[in-house]
Structures are given as C-alpha cells and as structure tokens.
Amino acid sequence: MARARFPAYGPNMVRIAFLVVSCALVLGCTSGGARGNEQPTLRVLFLGNSLTATNDLPAAVAAIGRREGRTIDARMVAPGGVNLEDHWTLTGARQALADGHWDAVVLQQGPSALPESQANLKEWGQRWADAIRAAGARPALLTVWPESYRKASAFGEVIRSYANAAAAAHAELFPAGVAWRTAWRRLPRLPLYGPDGFHPSPLGTYLAAVVVYGGLTGSLPTVRGAQARVLRVAAAEALARR
C-alpha cells in the first residue's frame, strides 16, 4: 500500500459546510440547540487514514454534537495510506495522544480483511488501546468497509476483523461498516461510496458520524425525513449488535 505522508490535522471548512448543508437539505436533520443541562466538552482524537479524512469525519461528528447541544472538540491525525503500526512509529500520533487530555481515541485503518491484515490490526489495536487507557482515555475501533468491487466477498471479514480486534484490545467498537450494510438492506441504492468506490461519499461519512456520535455519547441525533430515519435506525441496530 502506498504511504503518502501528508498531515490532515484540523477541520476543512469547505467539507464542513458541505456536510452541514447535506445534512440539513438532503437528510432533513433538525437543528437541536441546547437541550437541558449543559454537558462538559467531549474531547476526541481520531487516528486513521483517508477513510477518516475524506469529508472530515471528526468535523461531521462535531457538527452533529452542535445540533444536539453537545460540544465535541475533535482532532484528527489521518495521513493517507497509513495503518495503526505506522501511527505508532511515523505520524506523530503518539505525541498527539500525550498532548491532548482526551476523553476518547477512535482508531481506524484499512479494511484489514486478509489474514495478515487482521493479525496486524489486532496486534496494534491492543498496543494502542493500552496506551490510550494509560493516558486516561477510552479506546475505540471504527469498523470501515471494503472497496466496492469486494463488497460481496470481503464485507463479512472486515466486520469480523474489527470486532475481533476490539475484543482483544478490550476497546469499544464503533461499527460504521455494519451500519452501511444494514442501511443498504433497506435502501440498496444509497450512495455511501464516493466516486472511487472506496472512500465515503458525504452521505457515507454522515452515517459513520452518526455511529461514532452514538458510540461516544450513548444517544443518536434527532432527524426528520424517511432517508434520515433509515440511517438512524441502521446506526442504532449496528450499535446494538456490538
């Protein structure tokens, strides 16, 4: 796998605006505002690659939080093509963990469906989870998805790989890939993949963000509209089956 090393720190304002507009106009999300007692800011570090960086998943999670009256302070370390082993040695992610006083750290690498990739995810997921707990934060693994051309053959192995790695690491599991597959059972034509058939579309990122938000907070965003309700139900079912 090519390992382009470029920084992906901080929100991309164009992507944030596009996601917010997509949510408001396409998905029909409500604008929540403050809801009762103010809750403390939730600080979340995302360590991943371009599957996290595309459409800025952390910014999408923070945007859901704002609409629900919850402040989420998110930082992302997500160079293209890296895995968790690379994050340990190459990307500065360990320094980001040490610098942040994080409440949770969300870990993501590629599909990790092949046997050697599953072993790598399990090994480095455990190492990262131990370090995250030592820093006082909650570790979580974010289940992703295979390339669209491998959708039929590899999806089950991707899901098993992340579930097994989370169990071995005693980490939480944020099953975005499971939610994708669950949503497709209801609406098979949902455009969750982007143009390259691997990275997420804005809709795919939004569904992943709903799963992450639900895993972090124990609640799901308020939505309106049929399609938005399908995505919310898919996220709820995926989280319930962990």
Side-chain angles (χ1 to χ4, degrees), residues 18-55:
F18 187 71
L19 281 162
V20 171
V21 170
S22 295
C23 182
L25 299 182
V26 178
L27 300 174
C29 297
T30 62
S31 178
R35 297 172 183 269
N37 295 329
E38 185 176 350
Q39 298 187 27
T41 297
L42 186 63
R43 304 196 71 244
V44 185
L45 176 63
F46 289 77
L47 304 181
N49 55 35
S50 57
L51 295 179
T52 289
T54 298
N55 305 314

Side-chain angles (χ1 to χ4, degrees), residues 16 22-23 42 44 48 58 72 91 95 107 115 125 131-132 136 144 179 209 217 228:
I16 294 170
S22 295
C23 182
L42 186 63
V44 185
I72 298 176
T91 67
Q95 188 62 50
L107 305 168
I132 290 162
V144 289
T217 68

Side-chain angles (χ1 to χ4, degrees), residues 148-187:
S148 58
Y149 74 88
R150 294 199 301 152
K151 180 179 170 184
S153 62
F155 224 128
E157 287 303 315
V158 175
I159 290 168
R160 280 187 286 274
S161 179
Y162 275 85
N164 290 339
H170 304 288
E172 297 177 57
L173 183 66
F174 295 168
V178 178
W180 275 35
R181 196 159 70 164
T182 302
W184 274 322
R185 290 193 184 110
R186 290 165 172 78
L187 291 175

Side-chain angles (χ1 to χ4, degrees), residues 109 112-122:
Q109 63 179 37
S112 302
L114 298 175
E116 59 272 24
S117 300
Q118 293 190 35
N120 179 272
L121 176 62
K122 185 179 290 187

Side-chain angles (χ1 to χ4, degrees), residues 6 48-56 78-82 108 145 198-200:
F6 56 88
N49 55 35
S50 57
L51 295 179
T52 289
T54 298
N55 305 314
D56 203 334
V82 304
Q108 172 265 314
W145 43 83
F198 184 37
H199 293 88

Side-chain angles (χ1 to χ4, degrees), residues 187-203:
L187 291 175
R189 296 183 181 276
L190 275 174
L192 301 180
Y193 284 113
D196 67 355
F198 184 37
H199 293 88
S201 68
L203 195 66

